């Protein structure tokens, strides 16, 4: 069987700024992988490029279930089985969650009766039944929104799920609930890639593999010991162990005081 996701030599730039640099990654079916990295390392850009967000200059290859993505439109990528949950799910007044899921399932080629059965089953599993006849994400907490997104994935059954900072902005209880929901989503027919800054969600979720992303590249991969290293020493410890230098900045180093004495306009 093909891998759920296979990325080879993927580079991406926007407005002349290189963000992804010859990145390679493979996620087999049945596994959930985590990508961890500091701000600005390119984690969310990877999601944007895979899902087809406009504005990037892209080289390399990426496939889901053996189908090449980069030449596809956004909707074609979704039909190929790629689905992303968002860091900040949007409220959509007037569109009920149940109606939204029925429409989305129809676009995926799911018969109405089958879609209704899936909605009933998965809403009970992820405890979102009380949200079904409410506007999408209306008046939900951060944890409830993230759990609703995972419910949506479970109904639509993608081949590859991208979870972009699924733990962002959540308190400890919500992180635990979302982690449990991600574990419940596991399936032999699904691959998952979870983007995160912090190791706290890994206390409740055990990914099959952890990747560290720095400066647009996967620089190291491993298991729980890698998360422990990050917990103890941060990303700087990984840089030092691997001998990765920080990228040079253009122009002379500025003193902290300079930021307080700059004038806001020319005089």
């Amino acid at each position: 069987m093909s891998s759920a996701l296979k990325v080879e030599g993927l580079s991406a730039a926007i407005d002349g700024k290189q963000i992804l640099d010859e990145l390679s990654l493979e996620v087999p079916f049945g596994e959930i992988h985590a990508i961890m990295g500091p701000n600005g390392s390119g984690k969310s850009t990877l999601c944007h490029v895979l899902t087809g967000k406009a504005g990037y200059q892209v080289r390399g290859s990426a496939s889901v279930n053996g189908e090449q993505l980069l030449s596809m439109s956004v909707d074609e990528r979704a039909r190929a089985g790629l689905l992303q949950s968002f860091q900040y799910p949007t409220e959509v007044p007037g569109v009920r969650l149940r109606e939204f899921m029925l429409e989305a399932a129809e676009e995926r080629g799911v018969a109405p009766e089958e879609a209704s059965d899936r909605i009933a089953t998965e809403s009970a599993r992820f405890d979102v039944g009380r949200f079904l006849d409410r506007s999408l994400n209306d008046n939900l907490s951060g944890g409830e929104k993230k759990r609703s997104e995972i419910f949506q994935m479970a109904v639509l059954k993608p081949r590859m799920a991208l979870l972009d900072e699924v733990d962002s902005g959540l308190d400890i209880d919500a992180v635990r609930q979302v982690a449990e929901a991600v574990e419940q989503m596991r399936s032999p027919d699904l691959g998952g890639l979870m983007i995160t800054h912090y190791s706290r969600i890994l206390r409740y979720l055990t990914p099959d593999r952890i990747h560290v992303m720095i400066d647009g590249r996967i620089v190291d991969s491993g298991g729980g010991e890698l998360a422990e290293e990050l917990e103890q020493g941060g990303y700087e410890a990984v840089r030092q162990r691997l001998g990765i230098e920080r990228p040079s900045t253009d122009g002379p180093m500025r003193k902290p005081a300079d930021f307080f004495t700059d004038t806001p306009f020319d005089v």
Side-chain angles (χ1 to χ4, degrees), residues 18-66:
Q18 189 79 23
I19 303 175
L20 301 182
D21 182 16
E22 296 289 328
L23 183 146
S24 295
L25 174 70
E26 187 167 2
V27 181
F29 280 107
E31 293 190 4
I32 295 175
H33 289 203
I35 289 186
M36 304 181 68
N39 283 328
S41 59
K43 303 184 304 300
S44 291
T45 294
L46 175 61
C47 289
H48 295 161
V49 169
L50 291 176
T51 53
K53 184 175 181 178
Y56 292 94
Q57 296 80 53
V58 180
R59 292 183 292 104
S61 70
S63 62
V64 166
N65 192 30

Side-chain angles (χ1 to χ4, degrees), residues 44 47-53 74 78 82-92 100 136-137 141-153 156 161-170 178 193-195:
S44 291
C47 289
H48 295 161
V49 169
L50 291 176
T51 53
K53 184 175 181 178
V74 173
L82 182 67
L83 193 61
Q84 178 181 345
S85 72
F86 294 99
Q87 185 176 350
Y88 302 108
T90 303
E91 296 183 12
V92 186
F100 174 74
L136 186 62
N137 293 321
S141 69
E144 289 169 340
K145 288 179 180 179
K146 301 295 176 74
R147 201 164 70 244
S148 175
E149 293 249 305
I150 295 169
F151 152 73
Q152 293 167 40
M153 287 187 163
L156 298 177
L162 303 177
L163 306 169
D164 187 11
E165 300 199 25
V166 69
D167 54 342
S168 175
L170 304 184
V178 170
L193 185 63
M194 182 177 66
I195 309 294

Side-chain angles (χ1 to χ4, degrees), residues 254-264:
R254 304 179 69 194
K255 302 185 297 297
D258 291 342
F259 294 94
F260 297 95
T261 57
D262 282 346
T263 54

